[in-house]
Amino acid sequence: MSRTVYVNGNYLPEENATVSIFDRGFLFADGVYEVTAVLDGKLVDYAGHTTRLERSLGELKMEMPISQEELLEVHRELIKRNNLNEGAIYLQITRGAADRDFVFPKDAEQTIVLFTQAKPLSAPKTGIRIISAPDIRWGRRDIKTVQLLAPSMTKMIAKAEGKDDAWMVQDGFVTEGTSSNAYIVTKDGKIVTRNLSNSILHGITRAAVLKLATELDMEIEERPFTIEEAQQAAEAFATAATAFVNPIIEIDNVELSGGTPGPVVTRLSKIYLEESRKAAM
Ligand code: PMP
């Protein structure tokens, strides 16, 4: 069945939705995006995603082309029109269409697109196997731009090796997953995840999970770690809006926590899901 999508103020069947070939999102990857999870037809961590969206736009000297009230209304309308119970809403804003030039256009009208993706998010997780790979992305990974070719290529390297994903490594330290933040749990129960900087995306799920972990009196260390440290850790996991807390059971062919999700990850995963359901709006 065809989805109803949103493009520049209009709700349309997906096959009738178009943007210009001159759109700078298409020509320069000059755009930003957000992905918000939907549970029970409600938005998870919505405020966090819109706050990061405004920051990403600001860093690229772009405006917010829609009011906050309208944006929430569009999210809710898409959930309703597409009967979405569980899945995600993808949102993209670009600088708009203009004749091709490296200089930012002065009067281009921004493009805004939203669509839904139905997918099961809350099913129990069995854990994923990952490899390490060089981080070949640009220097402003804190901005959530649509230039996703590097992580896409990196994920394909993992797939070619029969694995699920990759953790990217720069100067000997893990930055993050191709589309997730990366964590280990040390043998004495500390959660270690890379500190925020321009080297990683400031994950909304990361912020929510670290807050929960703090409330649960878990110890957190925000610092870089190596693949070797991760392979010797008690547990490892990744977080992302549509993956929630995702256990990692193998890193570069070294099995972790006996090849099944460990107790800390299992607990965090369960609590994050419960709390997200409660707080979804
Ligand atoms: N890092 C990268 C590179 C990502 O692409 C994502 C997901 N888009 C994340 C981290 C996780 O961020 P969030 O929890 O906000 O989905």
Side-chain angles (χ1 to χ4, degrees):
M1 200 185 70
S2 163
R3 280 171 292 189
T4 296
V5 303
Y6 177 89
V7 187
N8 299 329
N10 300 308
Y11 293 95
L12 300 166
E14 61 181 77
E15 58 278 10
N16 297 347
T18 56
V19 294
S20 164
I21 65 158
F22 296 110
D23 195 279
R24 288 180 59 92
F26 178 58
L27 296 179
F28 290 97
D30 189 1
V32 300
Y33 76 107
E34 281 296 332
V35 178
T36 304
V38 173
L39 279 176
D40 310 321
K42 294 188 201 154
L43 300 156
V44 177
D45 277 333
Y46 181 76
H49 288 285
T50 51
T51 302
R52 183 172 62 188
L53 174 66
E54 285 184 321
R55 179 181 180 277
S56 293
L57 288 167
E59 291 299 302
L60 298 178
K61 311 272 182 283
M62 272 194 247
E63 303 282 317
M64 182 80 166
I66 185 169
S67 72
Q68 286 294 356
E69 298 72 47
E70 273 178 282
L71 188 59
L72 177 58
E73 176 57 28
V74 175
H75 278 81
R76 293 210 163 126
E77 191 62 27
L78 285 178
I79 289 173
K80 204 161 92 190
R81 291 193 189 214
N82 293 290
N83 235 331
L84 184 65
N85 182 53
E86 197 162 305
I89 301 201
Y90 178 88
L91 150 69
Q92 178 168 332
I93 295 173
T94 77
R95 207 178 301 276
D99 197 19
R100 187 176 182 279
D101 191 333
F102 281 73
V103 175
F104 292 172
K106 284 209 173 61
D107 44 17
E109 232 173 84
Q110 284 172 274
T111 303
I112 174 164
V113 167
L114 286 95
F115 58 81
T116 55
Q117 288 185 303
K119 42 184 147 186
L121 303 183
S122 60
K125 298 189 186 305
T126 51
I128 60 166
R129 296 183 164 76
I130 62 161
I131 59 161
S132 60
D135 196 331
I136 59 167
R137 298 172 301 160
W138 77 327
R140 288 303 307 274
R141 302 164 193 155
D142 58 308
I143 310 174
K144 197 164 168 66
T145 76
V146 297
Q147 46 159 327
L148 297 174
L149 186 55
S152 177
M153 287 170 70
T154 306
K155 186 153 194 164
M156 291 312 294
I157 296 170
K159 291 284 175 190
E161 292 184 23
K163 307 300 179 186
D164 302 297
D165 205 349
W167 275 6
M168 297 179 287
V169 175
Q170 183 175 37
D171 300 330
F173 293 96
V174 174
T175 51
E176 56 190 330
T178 59
S179 57
S180 59
N181 289 113
Y183 309 74
I184 56 175
V185 183
T186 61
K187 294 219 164 75
D188 56 356
K190 282 189 204 123
I191 295 172
V192 181
T193 192
R194 195 172 173 117
N195 48 297
L196 296 180
S197 70
N198 291 355
S199 299
I200 62 168
L201 185 75
H202 302 189
I204 301 307
T205 319
R206 178 188 183 280
V209 166
L210 291 186
K211 185 165 172 277
L212 281 180
T214 306
E215 287 164 9
L216 294 168
D217 284 330
M218 291 177 170
E219 219 179 308
I220 297 161
E221 269 180 30
E222 293 184 66
R223 60 160 173 88
F225 59 85
T226 64
I227 287 292
E228 292 68 34
E229 185 180 3
Q231 286 173 322
Q232 284 156 29
E235 303 176 41
F237 62 99
T239 63
T242 55
F244 300 157
V245 176
N246 203 11
I248 290 182
I249 54 170
E250 184 191 290
I251 304 175
D252 282 341
N253 295 315
V254 172
E255 200 174 76
L256 264 89
S257 58
T260 54
V264 174
V265 181
T266 302
R267 181 165 176 232
L268 269 180
S269 182
K270 182 169 170 282
I271 293 172
Y272 176 76
L273 184 60
E274 284 168 6
E275 293 302 314
S276 297
R277 269 196 209 286
K278 268 193 239 161
M281 54 177 270

